Amino acid sequence: MNQTPLQEKTAEQVSSPKQALQEKPLPSLHPKWHALRILTFAATMLIVAVIGVLIFLRPTESESEKRELTKFPELTWDALISGDYFSDITTWYADSFPGREGIIKMNQGIKSLFGIRTVQIISNDKADPNDTFDPNSPEADIPIDRLGSVYVKGNTAYELYKETPENSQKYAALISKAAEQLKGKATVYDMIIPLSSSVNLSEKELKQVGSSDAEAAIDRMFGQMSDIVPVEVYDILREHNDEYLYFRTDHHWTALGAYYSYVKFCEAAGMTPYSLSYWQEYQFEGFLGTLYAEAGSPAQLGDTPDTVHAWVPKGTNDIYIVDKTGNRLRYRGGLVRTDTDTFYANAASKYNCFIMGDNPLSEIHNEKITDGSSIVVIKESFGNALVPFLVDHYEYVYVVDYRYFTKTTGKTLQEFVTEMNVDTVLFINNLTATSTSQRLYELEKLLKD
């Protein structure tokens, strides 16, 4: 078919962009209204700034993210000279702004009204471009949403593992350093917990969403450690991945996942594990966790909340904690709280039924054992669900949350182990923690010479 050529135009017939603007000038505001708008904007920003610096209004913890928010930094000469002090102030200002949780929820709600998700696309640069998703495969039976670091499939959300090799190497070096510091005093065990995605999703799915290879990363880290006893839990969790090992709405594992890993620790430590039927079980319904919040509170997750299962030790259910202000408190029945519906009414807080949540130091004394046996568990929040299973094996169980321990107590791990005369040390970290600079920084502080 013949196409009619475009008619040529002379230069006089074509207006330049500059000419067009000159021909149609924009209407100008009256100076009075222009000044009023500037003053209104300035006043609004001043009010926001004043609210922002009111420390007494600032939250200290995030319920939805289950973490302590950034504290105002301590002024030191080194931090001042390096510029880190001012950078830390900026982080504190943004992370603990008054009304932060409400603002985030409002932002998510507005975006959902317009169908906007700021984290919809997962980077998949390493995936084979020829390896396309088969809609007839079993993985395609359930609708899938892709949400940044959160992968939502049907009524289940998964956190994805992104390895930073240099951080993994540093983690291995830090655990080896702990073993070197405690040589002759204590045996050091290390347990690295894979995320739910690495355990429950197929290799094909993990490749498509750009997740790092968890099994290979764990093997590399253990291979780089020295003088430690590895507690390898990846295989046993994959073997039981048809069971309720991880929450669907939260990034943590369940107590059942922790139990299977406790069995592997007992094998490594030469102990005989108890069966689950040895303990009394409690169930707490209506749990909506971190991934539910991070995914924007989607209905497919909210309509089917999780149930928290917990098994109570026989030796004791009491716990002492040193809180973040340095106070030592005793909680009867606090090791595994069985009254979560009243004590933790918020749907996002039910995982706190284990060891009263995250505290710098927890102490458990099982008076039914009198052999002086003791263990220090060094953990982030994944370790909370595993600690109760250890209580019936030791007279003393100490739990160190390395994110808060050193800055609260001023002690290092080496000092604490020596002071308490502990002969067994167990590190528990999920894979994301091993690849996160902030967690490594906190571990480094704990192991300071």
Side-chain angles (χ1 to χ4, degrees):
M1 179 178 176
N2 294 329
Q3 294 184 351
T4 303
L6 294 174
Q7 291 183 342
E8 294 184 359
K9 293 186 178 181
T10 65
E12 289 77 16
Q13 292 175 299
V14 182
S15 297
S16 69
K18 184 176 181 180
Q19 289 174 329
L21 287 174
Q22 290 174 342
E23 291 169 2
K24 297 180 180 180
L26 293 173
S28 60
L29 291 172
H30 191 280
K32 180 177 68 173
W33 295 111
H34 184 65
L36 182 60
R37 289 176 63 181
I38 293 175
L39 289 173
T40 302
F41 177 77
T44 301
M45 295 305 296
L46 179 62
I47 292 171
V48 170
V50 170
I51 292 173
V53 297
L54 294 177
I55 294 178
F56 66 89
L57 288 178
R58 287 182 168 269
T60 57
E61 294 188 354
S62 169
E63 275 192 3
S64 63
E65 297 171 86
K66 298 184 181 65
R67 68 176 178 89
E68 182 182 31
L69 298 175
T70 304
K71 291 183 178 179
F72 193 85
E74 180 183 355
L75 178 59
T76 65
W77 180 252
D78 290 342
L80 189 62
I81 294 300
S82 67
D84 289 344
Y85 179 69
F86 301 103
S87 176
D88 291 344
I89 288 178
T90 301
T91 303
W92 161 80
Y93 187 87
D95 197 43
S96 60
F97 195 86
R100 174 184 182 278
E101 297 268 311
I103 293 171
I104 292 174
K105 289 180 180 179
M106 181 176 66
N107 182 48
Q108 290 173 339
I110 292 172
K111 287 178 178 178
S112 65
L113 289 175
F114 290 92
I116 299 172
R117 287 179 179 153
T118 59
V119 287
Q120 282 183 313
I121 300 173
I122 295 172
S123 174
N124 195 16
D125 297 335
K126 296 182 180 179
D128 183 350
N130 297 317
D131 186 14
T132 57
F133 188 77
D134 179 10
N136 297 315
S137 69
E139 289 89 357
D141 292 342
I142 302 175
I144 293 171
D145 284 331
R146 295 184 173 187
L147 304 166
S149 63
V150 182
Y151 178 64
V152 180
K153 180 177 179 180
N155 68 345
T156 303
Y158 302 93
E159 181 184 11
L160 300 179
Y161 169 54
K162 297 289 187 178
E163 183 185 15
T164 307
E166 56 269 27
N167 283 350
S168 296
Q169 188 173 1
K170 185 173 182 180
Y171 175 77
L174 287 170
I175 301 302
S176 297
K177 180 179 180 179
E180 181 183 353
Q181 289 180 341
L182 301 176
K183 197 168 185 176
K185 298 179 181 179
T187 303
V188 175
Y189 298 81
D190 186 64
M191 179 188 295
I192 302 174
I193 306 165
L195 306 180
S196 61
S197 55
S198 302
V199 170
N200 292 327
L201 297 179
S202 68
E203 291 184 8
K204 184 174 182 178
E205 274 185 288
L206 290 171
K207 185 178 181 181
Q208 289 167 336
V209 297
S211 179
S212 301
D213 187 332
E215 184 178 19
I218 293 172
D219 287 344
R220 274 195 303 275
M221 282 185 277
F222 280 146
Q224 293 167 351
M225 295 179 193
S226 56
D227 297 322
I228 66 103
V229 180
V231 182
E232 303 186 47
V233 302
Y234 178 85
D235 287 343
I236 194 171
L237 293 174
R238 286 287 291 185
E239 180 185 339
H240 291 272
N241 68 359
D242 59 339
E243 301 175 39
Y244 193 31
L245 305 184
Y246 293 85
F247 296 112
R248 292 178 299 94
T249 69
D250 190 76
H251 69 287
H252 292 106
W253 58 0
T254 65
L256 182 60
Y259 171 77
Y260 285 121
S261 299
Y262 146 81
V263 170
K264 296 299 291 185
F265 170 71
C266 287
E267 291 178 6
M271 301 188 305
T272 302
Y274 294 103
S275 66
L276 278 175
S277 60
Y278 179 75
W279 299 291
Q280 184 175 356
E281 179 186 1
Y282 289 84
Q283 298 182 14
F284 317 120
E285 298 179 349
F287 176 46
L288 293 171
T290 55
L291 298 185
Y292 171 71
E294 289 178 23
S297 307
Q300 69 262 38
L301 299 182
D303 290 346
T304 53
D306 279 298
T307 297
V308 178
H309 297 254
W311 286 266
V312 178
K314 285 193 172 183
T316 183
N317 197 29
D318 296 345
I319 188 170
Y320 292 89
I321 70 165
V322 175
D323 65 19
K324 296 181 180 80
T325 63
N327 293 320
R328 190 173 186 270
L329 307 169
R330 181 180 183 180
Y331 286 92
R332 296 184 182 275
L335 178 54
V336 175
R337 293 206 70 102
T338 59
D339 56 347
T340 61
D341 289 339
T342 54
F343 197 80
Y344 298 115
N346 189 293
S349 301
K350 293 184 183 293
Y351 185 77
N352 287 336
C353 71
F354 303 110
I355 66 169
M356 298 298 297
D358 296 321
N359 294 287
L361 175 64
S362 304
E363 305 171 23
I364 304 150
H365 183 198
N366 183 352
E367 295 180 352
K368 293 183 179 179
I369 299 176
T370 58
D371 59 4
S373 56
S374 58
I375 184 174
V376 175
V377 178
I378 299 144
K379 60 86 187 179
E380 34 78 22
S381 56
F382 265 73
N384 298 8
L386 188 140
V387 168
F389 297 119
L390 300 174
V391 171
D392 288 316
H393 293 275
Y394 296 93
E395 183 175 354
Y396 296 97
V397 177
Y398 302 101
V399 185
V400 167
D401 194 316
Y402 63 89
R403 297 170 295 178
Y404 317 114
F405 177 80
T406 302
K407 62 185 176 183
T408 300
T409 67
K411 298 178 181 178
T412 65
L413 176 63
Q414 190 173 9
E415 292 169 340
F416 184 75
V417 167
T418 301
E419 179 184 342
M420 297 295 141
N421 195 27
V422 178
D423 59 10
T424 304
V425 172
L426 170 61
F427 284 88
I428 302 177
N429 280 284
N430 77 83
L431 261 178
T432 295
T434 68
S435 206
T436 302
S437 297
Q438 180 64 23
R439 297 290 85 82
L440 298 178
Y441 171 79
E442 291 154 352
L443 264 180
E444 200 167 18
K445 291 289 187 183
L446 180 71
L447 303 175
K448 189 175 180 180
D449 293 319

